[in-house]
Amino acid sequence: MQNAVILINTDKGQVKAVAERLADVEGISEVYSTCGRYDLVAIARTRNFESLAELVTERLNAVEGIRDTETLNAMQVHSRHDLETMFSVGW
């Protein structure tokens, strides 16, 4: 599995619309709106590096309203928690 954090700035007034579009993109598992330097943070989880590269260079480029991105490729996970369980909604 290949994981990455994608920091995103949107066009003015487009944060919610872009977040909703990103949530539907294959390979994006979560999207957070944030305060500060970036408008959104997206968590990408893909099968391999090639899938991540396709996500960042092709699928994200097709999302209307994204002004720029910065992708942080995860090297290793350091956690005492099962993040899948922490962020899942058990309805």
Side-chain angles (χ1 to χ4, degrees):
M1 166 122 2
Q2 189 69 45
N3 298 315
V5 175
I6 305 170
L7 308 172
I8 301 163
N9 281 316
T10 68
D11 293 332
K12 187 174 182 176
Q14 293 294 307
V15 172
K16 184 176 180 184
V18 171
E20 290 171 352
R21 289 180 199 120
L22 285 171
D24 290 333
V25 172
E26 181 183 347
I28 299 294
S29 61
E30 296 103 37
V31 181
Y32 301 95
S33 57
T34 60
C35 298
R37 188 172 173 186
Y38 297 97
D39 297 320
L40 299 169
V41 174
I43 307 301
R45 300 180 197 281
T46 61
R47 293 184 308 282
N48 51 43
F49 184 77
E50 290 77 17
S51 297
L52 178 62
E54 179 187 344
L55 170 65
V56 172
T57 62
E58 295 179 27
R59 283 182 255 155
L60 289 189
N61 280 336
V63 176
E64 185 179 337
I66 292 179
R67 187 172 21 136
D68 55 58
T69 66
E70 182 174 348
T71 302
L72 307 173
N73 194 11
M75 303 296 284
Q76 294 179 329
V77 176
H78 304 274
S79 176
R80 290 184 220 170
H81 305 286
D82 178 359
L83 294 179
E84 292 292 325
T85 301
M86 269 177 50
F87 289 105
S88 68
V89 178
W91 298 104

